[in-house]
Amino acid sequence: MNMPFKLSCVATVVAATVFTSPVFAVDEKAGVIRTESGIDFIPGVNSGLKYDDNITSANSSADELDSWILTVTPAVQAQLIDGDTTFTLDAGIEYGDYFSSSDDNYLDALIKAKADVDVNQSRRFGFDASYISGHEDRGSGIFEGTSGADQDEPNTYDVTSVGGYYEYGAKTTPARVRANAKYSSKEYSNFESITQYRNFDNTALGATFYYDTQSASSIFLDFQHVDTVYDIVDPTGDRDSKTNTVQVGVEWQASAATEGSIKVGYQNKSFDNENRDDFSGLSWDAKVTWKPLTYSAFDFSTGRTSRDPNGVGDYIRGTSYGVKWHHEWSELFTSSFGFKQVDDDYTGIEREDKSKVYQFGLNYYITRWLTLNTGVDVFDVESTDSQYSYDRNIYFIKAEMTL
């Protein structure tokens, strides 16, 4: 099953650790190492123990493998603020040790550099570059539907990307325009007889026009073009494509109760191979946070877009819906409940998938430098092709530590 929201590489883990975890935020809860050079360091480590009752996403209970898994994720963020310029460097690794299946052990890594520069009141630019060494669990990604039978280890890959933006227009005036560009490459590093057909490069170019209102909100028109080129022609035919997306939307800062962004538009995906079906249709993306109380918030999300499949087929039209509730019971104790559903309609083959994920988590802030997380992720995947259907439950407890 091609699950776009599955946590499958260290990029997600490190991003969550360095950027969003309360114990790693640059505030009174964070342990910041300040140097005379002006560079601030925020080191930390996540360590977790989880139980996975279907580590290879098997569709039959007879083929299911289960295991306890130990994960360790050290990470560090370095930041330099020089006037209106900010430089940030993030790095981390994650090691996973499967107690009952050493073949599934993995070591992922991430390094990312970012800079934001305000040239003057009207002009600003930025760039970022990253490298990810990641993995796909056995039975997922390119090998989805196989229950890991064709693998003696996880599928591994490298992703490199570099991009930037240039923005013109003072923030105190209503109108601004931003141009962006990004190049990324994904290359698999094992099982080459199969994975060589999924190595690709993406070149993205775009522009966004913003018009700010007087109520802390912006109306915008966004255009993005993505040129996808695969290294080797797939046995089923050339997969190279061009995707153009035009959307209009609105984004707003926190008001008394809500903040978020909504954009709706039209997407066209055309293949160089005339034997593949092109996609043209409605595309949208919306994320809204509703905070009825100062200590309670609901996150709503929905989207529709096209994407390339892991296996056969021309493209997938994916529609997602999600909701998550965060609640602070006290300064030391919080909880979260979440649900997300993705409906995937395949073109070029007869296949429809419906993926549901239920999430429950509890956070306990023992001290400024230590937070405990525990919970469960429940995966329920149904498909018109039974080999891609499976159930999977992951129970976990994690410790997040900083200075």
Side-chain angles (χ1 to χ4, degrees), residues 180-211:
N180 64 273
K182 185 174 185 177
Y183 170 81
S184 61
S185 173
K186 184 173 185 178
E187 183 172 347
Y188 288 91
S189 51
N190 56 354
F191 303 105
E192 294 182 1
S193 63
I194 298 173
T195 62
Q196 62 180 328
Y197 303 110
R198 288 298 181 270
N199 298 331
F200 67 90
D201 300 329
N202 269 347
T203 303
L205 299 171
T208 308
F209 175 78
Y210 296 91
Y211 184 82

PDB file of all heavy atoms in Angstrom, residues 180-211:
ATOM      1  N   ASN A 180      10.115  30.583  -6.742  1.00  0.00           N
ATOM      2  CA  ASN A 180      10.799  29.473  -6.083  1.00  0.00           C
ATOM      3  C   ASN A 180      11.301  28.471  -7.095  1.00  0.00           C
ATOM      4  O   ASN A 180      10.775  28.349  -8.209  1.00  0.00           O
ATOM      5  CB  ASN A 180       9.866  28.782  -5.087  1.00  0.00           C
ATOM      6  CG  ASN A 180       8.662  28.134  -5.758  1.00  0.00           C
ATOM      7  OD1 ASN A 180       7.637  28.793  -5.969  1.00  0.00           O
ATOM      8  ND2 ASN A 180       8.770  26.849  -6.093  1.00  0.00           N
ATOM      9  N   ALA A 181      12.351  27.752  -6.723  1.00  0.00           N
ATOM     10  CA  ALA A 181      12.910  26.692  -7.567  1.00  0.00           C
ATOM     11  C   ALA A 181      13.485  25.604  -6.664  1.00  0.00           C
ATOM     12  O   ALA A 181      13.993  25.899  -5.571  1.00  0.00           O
ATOM     13  CB  ALA A 181      13.996  27.241  -8.486  1.00  0.00           C
ATOM     14  N   LYS A 182      13.390  24.354  -7.112  1.00  0.00           N
ATOM     15  CA  LYS A 182      13.934  23.251  -6.318  1.00  0.00           C
ATOM     16  C   LYS A 182      14.280  22.083  -7.228  1.00  0.00           C
ATOM     17  O   LYS A 182      13.531  21.751  -8.150  1.00  0.00           O
ATOM     18  CB  LYS A 182      12.923  22.802  -5.254  1.00  0.00           C
ATOM     19  CG  LYS A 182      13.472  21.749  -4.308  1.00  0.00           C
ATOM     20  CD  LYS A 182      12.483  21.452  -3.184  1.00  0.00           C
ATOM     21  CE  LYS A 182      13.079  20.484  -2.166  1.00  0.00           C
ATOM     22  NZ  LYS A 182      12.151  20.238  -1.034  1.00  0.00           N
ATOM     23  N   TYR A 183      15.414  21.470  -6.935  1.00  0.00           N
ATOM     24  CA  TYR A 183      15.824  20.245  -7.622  1.00  0.00           C
ATOM     25  C   TYR A 183      15.996  19.146  -6.578  1.00  0.00           C
ATOM     26  O   TYR A 183      16.620  19.358  -5.533  1.00  0.00           O
ATOM     27  CB  TYR A 183      17.139  20.440  -8.382  1.00  0.00           C
ATOM     28  CG  TYR A 183      17.722  19.148  -8.899  1.00  0.00           C
ATOM     29  CD1 TYR A 183      17.247  18.579 -10.076  1.00  0.00           C
ATOM     30  CD2 TYR A 183      18.721  18.477  -8.189  1.00  0.00           C
ATOM     31  CE1 TYR A 183      17.769  17.375 -10.539  1.00  0.00           C
ATOM     32  CE2 TYR A 183      19.246  17.282  -8.650  1.00  0.00           C
ATOM     33  CZ  TYR A 183      18.761  16.732  -9.833  1.00  0.00           C
ATOM     34  OH  TYR A 183      19.264  15.539 -10.284  1.00  0.00           O
ATOM     35  N   SER A 184      15.439  17.978  -6.853  1.00  0.00           N
ATOM     36  CA  SER A 184      15.580  16.855  -5.930  1.00  0.00           C
ATOM     37  C   SER A 184      15.800  15.570  -6.709  1.00  0.00           C
ATOM     38  O   SER A 184      15.368  15.435  -7.867  1.00  0.00           O
ATOM     39  CB  SER A 184      14.345  16.719  -5.029  1.00  0.00           C
ATOM     40  OG  SER A 184      13.180  16.484  -5.799  1.00  0.00           O
ATOM     41  N   SER A 185      16.487  14.635  -6.060  1.00  0.00           N
ATOM     42  CA  SER A 185      16.814  13.364  -6.692  1.00  0.00           C
ATOM     43  C   SER A 185      16.648  12.240  -5.685  1.00  0.00           C
ATOM     44  O   SER A 185      17.063  12.365  -4.528  1.00  0.00           O
ATOM     45  CB  SER A 185      18.258  13.394  -7.213  1.00  0.00           C
ATOM     46  OG  SER A 185      18.659  12.125  -7.684  1.00  0.00           O
ATOM     47  N   LYS A 186      16.026  11.147  -6.109  1.00  0.00           N
ATOM     48  CA  LYS A 186      15.867   9.973  -5.257  1.00  0.00           C
ATOM     49  C   LYS A 186      16.483   8.774  -5.969  1.00  0.00           C
ATOM     50  O   LYS A 186      16.175   8.498  -7.130  1.00  0.00           O
ATOM     51  CB  LYS A 186      14.391   9.689  -4.967  1.00  0.00           C
ATOM     52  CG  LYS A 186      14.175   8.519  -4.008  1.00  0.00           C
ATOM     53  CD  LYS A 186      12.708   8.379  -3.621  1.00  0.00           C
ATOM     54  CE  LYS A 186      12.506   7.288  -2.575  1.00  0.00           C
ATOM     55  NZ  LYS A 186      11.083   7.174  -2.146  1.00  0.00           N
ATOM     56  N   GLU A 187      17.373   8.076  -5.252  1.00  0.00           N
ATOM     57  CA  GLU A 187      18.058   6.927  -5.842  1.00  0.00           C
ATOM     58  C   GLU A 187      18.096   5.784  -4.838  1.00  0.00           C
ATOM     59  O   GLU A 187      18.566   5.951  -3.707  1.00  0.00           O
ATOM     60  CB  GLU A 187      19.480   7.300  -6.264  1.00  0.00           C
ATOM     61  CG  GLU A 187      20.214   6.165  -6.955  1.00  0.00           C
ATOM     62  CD  GLU A 187      21.545   6.603  -7.545  1.00  0.00           C
ATOM     63  OE1 GLU A 187      21.775   7.831  -7.627  1.00  0.00           O
ATOM     64  OE2 GLU A 187      22.346   5.736  -7.912  1.00  0.00           O
ATOM     65  N   TYR A 188      17.586   4.629  -5.235  1.00  0.00           N
ATOM     66  CA  TYR A 188      17.605   3.446  -4.379  1.00  0.00           C
ATOM     67  C   TYR A 188      18.981   2.795  -4.438  1.00  0.00           C
ATOM     68  O   TYR A 188      19.668   2.860  -5.463  1.00  0.00           O
ATOM     69  CB  TYR A 188      16.528   2.459  -4.816  1.00  0.00           C
ATOM     70  CG  TYR A 188      15.133   2.918  -4.476  1.00  0.00           C
ATOM     71  CD1 TYR A 188      14.383   3.660  -5.385  1.00  0.00           C
ATOM     72  CD2 TYR A 188      14.572   2.636  -3.241  1.00  0.00           C
ATOM     73  CE1 TYR A 188      13.110   4.097  -5.074  1.00  0.00           C
ATOM     74  CE2 TYR A 188      13.291   3.065  -2.911  1.00  0.00           C
ATOM     75  CZ  TYR A 188      12.575   3.800  -3.839  1.00  0.00           C
ATOM     76  OH  TYR A 188      11.314   4.235  -3.522  1.00  0.00           O
ATOM     77  N   SER A 189      19.366   2.164  -3.339  1.00  0.00           N
ATOM     78  CA  SER A 189      20.732   1.657  -3.222  1.00  0.00           C
ATOM     79  C   SER A 189      20.832   0.141  -3.091  1.00  0.00           C
ATOM     80  O   SER A 189      21.941  -0.384  -2.955  1.00  0.00           O
ATOM     81  CB  SER A 189      21.431   2.323  -2.026  1.00  0.00           C
ATOM     82  OG  SER A 189      20.656   2.229  -0.852  1.00  0.00           O
ATOM     83  N   ASN A 190      19.727  -0.584  -3.109  1.00  0.00           N
ATOM     84  CA  ASN A 190      19.788  -2.047  -3.114  1.00  0.00           C
ATOM     85  C   ASN A 190      18.621  -2.596  -3.943  1.00  0.00           C
ATOM     86  O   ASN A 190      17.766  -1.840  -4.405  1.00  0.00           O
ATOM     87  CB  ASN A 190      19.802  -2.630  -1.700  1.00  0.00           C
ATOM     88  CG  ASN A 190      18.618  -2.180  -0.860  1.00  0.00           C
ATOM     89  OD1 ASN A 190      17.817  -1.349  -1.275  1.00  0.00           O
ATOM     90  ND2 ASN A 190      18.497  -2.735   0.331  1.00  0.00           N
ATOM     91  N   PHE A 191      18.612  -3.905  -4.147  1.00  0.00           N
ATOM     92  CA  PHE A 191      17.613  -4.573  -5.000  1.00  0.00           C
ATOM     93  C   PHE A 191      17.519  -3.875  -6.366  1.00  0.00           C
ATOM     94  O   PHE A 191      16.434  -3.571  -6.866  1.00  0.00           O
ATOM     95  CB  PHE A 191      16.238  -4.597  -4.323  1.00  0.00           C
ATOM     96  CG  PHE A 191      16.223  -5.262  -2.978  1.00  0.00           C
ATOM     97  CD1 PHE A 191      16.138  -4.505  -1.817  1.00  0.00           C
ATOM     98  CD2 PHE A 191      16.308  -6.644  -2.867  1.00  0.00           C
ATOM     99  CE1 PHE A 191      16.131  -5.102  -0.574  1.00  0.00           C
ATOM    100  CE2 PHE A 191      16.297  -7.251  -1.623  1.00  0.00           C
ATOM    101  CZ  PHE A 191      16.217  -6.477  -0.471  1.00  0.00           C
ATOM    102  N   GLU A 192      18.672  -3.615  -6.957  1.00  0.00           N
ATOM    103  CA  GLU A 192      18.747  -2.771  -8.146  1.00  0.00           C
ATOM    104  C   GLU A 192      17.987  -3.335  -9.343  1.00  0.00           C
ATOM    105  O   GLU A 192      17.536  -2.565 -10.210  1.00  0.00           O
ATOM    106  CB  GLU A 192      20.209  -2.523  -8.515  1.00  0.00           C
ATOM    107  CG  GLU A 192      20.956  -1.688  -7.476  1.00  0.00           C
ATOM    108  CD  GLU A 192      22.391  -1.404  -7.890  1.00  0.00           C
ATOM    109  OE1 GLU A 192      22.783  -1.841  -8.996  1.00  0.00           O
ATOM    110  OE2 GLU A 192      23.103  -0.752  -7.112  1.00  0.00           O
ATOM    111  N   SER A 193      17.848  -4.639  -9.432  1.00  0.00           N
ATOM    112  CA  SER A 193      17.126  -5.207 -10.578  1.00  0.00           C
ATOM    113  C   SER A 193      15.674  -4.738 -10.611  1.00  0.00           C
ATOM    114  O   SER A 193      15.039  -4.724 -11.678  1.00  0.00           O
ATOM    115  CB  SER A 193      17.180  -6.739 -10.533  1.00  0.00           C
ATOM    116  OG  SER A 193      16.532  -7.232  -9.367  1.00  0.00           O
ATOM    117  N   ILE A 194      15.150  -4.354  -9.445  1.00  0.00           N
ATOM    118  CA  ILE A 194      13.772  -3.866  -9.345  1.00  0.00           C
ATOM    119  C   ILE A 194      13.739  -2.356  -9.148  1.00  0.00           C
ATOM    120  O   ILE A 194      12.990  -1.639  -9.824  1.00  0.00           O
ATOM    121  CB  ILE A 194      13.040  -4.566  -8.186  1.00  0.00           C
ATOM    122  CG1 ILE A 194      12.964  -6.075  -8.443  1.00  0.00           C
ATOM    123  CG2 ILE A 194      11.638  -3.989  -7.989  1.00  0.00           C
ATOM    124  CD1 ILE A 194      12.408  -6.872  -7.286  1.00  0.00           C
ATOM    125  N   THR A 195      14.574  -1.858  -8.241  1.00  0.00           N
ATOM    126  CA  THR A 195      14.481  -0.442  -7.845  1.00  0.00           C
ATOM    127  C   THR A 195      15.056   0.516  -8.872  1.00  0.00           C
ATOM    128  O   THR A 195      14.768   1.713  -8.825  1.00  0.00           O
ATOM    129  CB  THR A 195      15.197  -0.225  -6.505  1.00  0.00           C
ATOM    130  OG1 THR A 195      16.595  -0.557  -6.646  1.00  0.00           O
ATOM    131  CG2 THR A 195      14.594  -1.091  -5.416  1.00  0.00           C
ATOM    132  N   GLN A 196      15.877   0.019  -9.809  1.00  0.00           N
ATOM    133  CA  GLN A 196      16.496   0.924 -10.777  1.00  0.00           C
ATOM    134  C   GLN A 196      15.460   1.675 -11.607  1.00  0.00           C
ATOM    135  O   GLN A 196      15.724   2.781 -12.103  1.00  0.00           O
ATOM    136  CB  GLN A 196      17.423   0.145 -11.706  1.00  0.00           C
ATOM    137  CG  GLN A 196      16.712  -0.919 -12.541  1.00  0.00           C
ATOM    138  CD  GLN A 196      17.659  -1.671 -13.460  1.00  0.00           C
ATOM    139  OE1 GLN A 196      18.643  -1.111 -13.939  1.00  0.00           O
ATOM    140  NE2 GLN A 196      17.366  -2.952 -13.712  1.00  0.00           N
ATOM    141  N   TYR A 197      14.258   1.118 -11.713  1.00  0.00           N
ATOM    142  CA  TYR A 197      13.210   1.769 -12.509  1.00  0.00           C
ATOM    143  C   TYR A 197      12.465   2.851 -11.731  1.00  0.00           C
ATOM    144  O   TYR A 197      11.575   3.500 -12.282  1.00  0.00           O
ATOM    145  CB  TYR A 197      12.214   0.710 -13.003  1.00  0.00           C
ATOM    146  CG  TYR A 197      12.860  -0.381 -13.810  1.00  0.00           C
ATOM    147  CD1 TYR A 197      12.971  -1.675 -13.306  1.00  0.00           C
ATOM    148  CD2 TYR A 197      13.379  -0.120 -15.078  1.00  0.00           C
ATOM    149  CE1 TYR A 197      13.566  -2.691 -14.040  1.00  0.00           C
ATOM    150  CE2 TYR A 197      13.994  -1.125 -15.823  1.00  0.00           C
ATOM    151  CZ  TYR A 197      14.078  -2.407 -15.298  1.00  0.00           C
ATOM    152  OH  TYR A 197      14.684  -3.395 -16.045  1.00  0.00           O
ATOM    153  N   ARG A 198      12.828   3.039 -10.456  1.00  0.00           N
ATOM    154  CA  ARG A 198      12.155   4.056  -9.645  1.00  0.00           C
ATOM    155  C   ARG A 198      13.094   5.174  -9.213  1.00  0.00           C
ATOM    156  O   ARG A 198      12.734   6.010  -8.391  1.00  0.00           O
ATOM    157  CB  ARG A 198      11.517   3.399  -8.409  1.00  0.00           C
ATOM    158  CG  ARG A 198      10.292   2.548  -8.741  1.00  0.00           C
ATOM    159  CD  ARG A 198       9.194   3.407  -9.348  1.00  0.00           C
ATOM    160  NE  ARG A 198       7.997   2.634  -9.657  1.00  0.00           N
ATOM    161  CZ  ARG A 198       7.766   2.034 -10.809  1.00  0.00           C
ATOM    162  NH1 ARG A 198       8.688   2.096 -11.780  1.00  0.00           N
ATOM    163  NH2 ARG A 198       6.645   1.367 -11.022  1.00  0.00           N
ATOM    164  N   ASN A 199      14.308   5.209  -9.747  1.00  0.00           N
ATOM    165  CA  ASN A 199      15.207   6.338  -9.503  1.00  0.00           C
ATOM    166  C   ASN A 199      14.787   7.505 -10.391  1.00  0.00           C
ATOM    167  O   ASN A 199      14.594   7.339 -11.600  1.00  0.00           O
ATOM    168  CB  ASN A 199      16.655   5.959  -9.814  1.00  0.00           C
ATOM    169  CG  ASN A 199      17.165   4.834  -8.929  1.00  0.00           C
ATOM    170  OD1 ASN A 199      16.723   4.666  -7.800  1.00  0.00           O
ATOM    171  ND2 ASN A 199      18.100   4.048  -9.455  1.00  0.00           N
ATOM    172  N   PHE A 200      14.620   8.689  -9.799  1.00  0.00           N
ATOM    173  CA  PHE A 200      14.119   9.808 -10.591  1.00  0.00           C
ATOM    174  C   PHE A 200      14.655  11.138 -10.085  1.00  0.00           C
ATOM    175  O   PHE A 200      15.177  11.255  -8.970  1.00  0.00           O
ATOM    176  CB  PHE A 200      12.588   9.841 -10.567  1.00  0.00           C
ATOM    177  CG  PHE A 200      12.003  10.161  -9.213  1.00  0.00           C
ATOM    178  CD1 PHE A 200      11.758  11.475  -8.840  1.00  0.00           C
ATOM    179  CD2 PHE A 200      11.698   9.153  -8.310  1.00  0.00           C
ATOM    180  CE1 PHE A 200      11.227  11.778  -7.599  1.00  0.00           C
ATOM    181  CE2 PHE A 200      11.163   9.443  -7.061  1.00  0.00           C
ATOM    182  CZ  PHE A 200      10.926  10.760  -6.709  1.00  0.00           C
ATOM    183  N   ASP A 201      14.512  12.167 -10.939  1.00  0.00           N
ATOM    184  CA  ASP A 201      14.848  13.551 -10.605  1.00  0.00           C
ATOM    185  C   ASP A 201      13.601  14.408 -10.782  1.00  0.00           C
ATOM    186  O   ASP A 201      12.829  14.213 -11.732  1.00  0.00           O
ATOM    187  CB  ASP A 201      15.948  14.090 -11.525  1.00  0.00           C
ATOM    188  CG  ASP A 201      17.232  13.286 -11.444  1.00  0.00           C
ATOM    189  OD1 ASP A 201      17.502  12.751 -10.362  1.00  0.00           O
ATOM    190  OD2 ASP A 201      17.936  13.194 -12.461  1.00  0.00           O
ATOM    191  N   ASN A 202      13.431  15.358  -9.867  1.00  0.00           N
ATOM    192  CA  ASN A 202      12.352  16.334  -9.963  1.00  0.00           C
ATOM    193  C   ASN A 202      12.941  17.731 -10.075  1.00  0.00           C
ATOM    194  O   ASN A 202      13.828  18.104  -9.292  1.00  0.00           O
ATOM    195  CB  ASN A 202      11.462  16.294  -8.716  1.00  0.00           C
ATOM    196  CG  ASN A 202      10.301  15.331  -8.866  1.00  0.00           C
ATOM    197  OD1 ASN A 202      10.000  14.871  -9.964  1.00  0.00           O
ATOM    198  ND2 ASN A 202       9.630  15.040  -7.765  1.00  0.00           N
ATOM    199  N   THR A 203      12.448  18.510 -11.029  1.00  0.00           N
ATOM    200  CA  THR A 203      12.812  19.915 -11.139  1.00  0.00           C
ATOM    201  C   THR A 203      11.533  20.730 -11.014  1.00  0.00           C
ATOM    202  O   THR A 203      10.609  20.572 -11.828  1.00  0.00           O
ATOM    203  CB  THR A 203      13.496  20.221 -12.473  1.00  0.00           C
ATOM    204  OG1 THR A 203      14.652  19.387 -12.615  1.00  0.00           O
ATOM    205  CG2 THR A 203      13.927  21.673 -12.532  1.00  0.00           C
ATOM    206  N   ALA A 204      11.470  21.577  -9.990  1.00  0.00           N
ATOM    207  CA  ALA A 204      10.260  22.346  -9.713  1.00  0.00           C
ATOM    208  C   ALA A 204      10.537  23.839  -9.846  1.00  0.00           C
ATOM    209  O   ALA A 204      11.555  24.344  -9.347  1.00  0.00           O
ATOM    210  CB  ALA A 204       9.735  22.035  -8.312  1.00  0.00           C
ATOM    211  N   LEU A 205       9.626  24.539 -10.507  1.00  0.00           N
ATOM    212  CA  LEU A 205       9.679  25.987 -10.646  1.00  0.00           C
ATOM    213  C   LEU A 205       8.297  26.540 -10.333  1.00  0.00           C
ATOM    214  O   LEU A 205       7.276  25.917 -10.699  1.00  0.00           O
ATOM    215  CB  LEU A 205      10.088  26.398 -12.065  1.00  0.00           C
ATOM    216  CG  LEU A 205      11.469  25.946 -12.549  1.00  0.00           C
ATOM    217  CD1 LEU A 205      11.610  26.243 -14.042  1.00  0.00           C
ATOM    218  CD2 LEU A 205      12.567  26.659 -11.762  1.00  0.00           C
ATOM    219  N   GLY A 206       8.257  27.699  -9.686  1.00  0.00           N
ATOM    220  CA  GLY A 206       6.953  28.239  -9.348  1.00  0.00           C
ATOM    221  C   GLY A 206       6.992  29.696  -8.970  1.00  0.00           C
ATOM    222  O   GLY A 206       8.059  30.308  -8.835  1.00  0.00           O
ATOM    223  N   ALA A 207       5.800  30.261  -8.806  1.00  0.00           N
ATOM    224  CA  ALA A 207       5.660  31.653  -8.393  1.00  0.00           C
ATOM    225  C   ALA A 207       4.345  31.807  -7.650  1.00  0.00           C
ATOM    226  O   ALA A 207       3.356  31.131  -7.965  1.00  0.00           O
ATOM    227  CB  ALA A 207       5.707  32.587  -9.589  1.00  0.00           C
ATOM    228  N   THR A 208       4.354  32.693  -6.641  1.00  0.00           N
ATOM    229  CA  THR A 208       3.167  32.954  -5.844  1.00  0.00           C
ATOM    230  C   THR A 208       2.989  34.459  -5.688  1.00  0.00           C
ATOM    231  O   THR A 208       3.940  35.162  -5.337  1.00  0.00           O
ATOM    232  CB  THR A 208       3.273  32.304  -4.455  1.00  0.00           C
ATOM    233  OG1 THR A 208       3.609  30.920  -4.589  1.00  0.00           O
ATOM    234  CG2 THR A 208       1.953  32.419  -3.701  1.00  0.00           C
ATOM    235  N   PHE A 209       1.777  34.919  -5.952  1.00  0.00           N
ATOM    236  CA  PHE A 209       1.443  36.330  -5.753  1.00  0.00           C
ATOM    237  C   PHE A 209       0.539  36.454  -4.535  1.00  0.00           C
ATOM    238  O   PHE A 209      -0.499  35.790  -4.438  1.00  0.00           O
ATOM    239  CB  PHE A 209       0.727  36.904  -6.977  1.00  0.00           C
ATOM    240  CG  PHE A 209       0.254  38.322  -6.789  1.00  0.00           C
ATOM    241  CD1 PHE A 209       1.150  39.386  -6.875  1.00  0.00           C
ATOM    242  CD2 PHE A 209      -1.077  38.588  -6.493  1.00  0.00           C
ATOM    243  CE1 PHE A 209       0.715  40.694  -6.681  1.00  0.00           C
ATOM    244  CE2 PHE A 209      -1.509  39.882  -6.299  1.00  0.00           C
ATOM    245  CZ  PHE A 209      -0.615  40.948  -6.391  1.00  0.00           C
ATOM    246  N   TYR A 210       0.958  37.273  -3.555  1.00  0.00           N
ATOM    247  CA  TYR A 210       0.204  37.464  -2.317  1.00  0.00           C
ATOM    248  C   TYR A 210      -0.430  38.857  -2.289  1.00  0.00           C
ATOM    249  O   TYR A 210       0.191  39.840  -2.719  1.00  0.00           O
ATOM    250  CB  TYR A 210       1.118  37.353  -1.099  1.00  0.00           C
ATOM    251  CG  TYR A 210       1.746  35.996  -0.890  1.00  0.00           C
ATOM    252  CD1 TYR A 210       2.981  35.694  -1.448  1.00  0.00           C
ATOM    253  CD2 TYR A 210       1.116  35.025  -0.121  1.00  0.00           C
ATOM    254  CE1 TYR A 210       3.572  34.453  -1.247  1.00  0.00           C
ATOM    255  CE2 TYR A 210       1.707  33.787   0.084  1.00  0.00           C
ATOM    256  CZ  TYR A 210       2.931  33.508  -0.482  1.00  0.00           C
ATOM    257  OH  TYR A 210       3.517  32.297  -0.279  1.00  0.00           O
ATOM    258  N   TYR A 211      -1.635  38.920  -1.766  1.00  0.00           N
ATOM    259  CA  TYR A 211      -2.262  40.205  -1.479  1.00  0.00           C
ATOM    260  C   TYR A 211      -2.746  40.169  -0.039  1.00  0.00           C
ATOM    261  O   TYR A 211      -3.616  39.366   0.311  1.00  0.00           O
ATOM    262  CB  TYR A 211      -3.431  40.495  -2.421  1.00  0.00           C
ATOM    263  CG  TYR A 211      -4.035  41.868  -2.186  1.00  0.00           C
ATOM    264  CD1 TYR A 211      -3.445  43.002  -2.750  1.00  0.00           C
ATOM    265  CD2 TYR A 211      -5.146  42.022  -1.377  1.00  0.00           C
ATOM    266  CE1 TYR A 211      -3.966  44.266  -2.524  1.00  0.00           C
ATOM    267  CE2 TYR A 211      -5.684  43.282  -1.144  1.00  0.00           C
ATOM    268  CZ  TYR A 211      -5.090  44.409  -1.723  1.00  0.00           C
ATOM    269  OH  TYR A 211      -5.606  45.658  -1.481  1.00  0.00           O
TER     270      TYR A 211
END
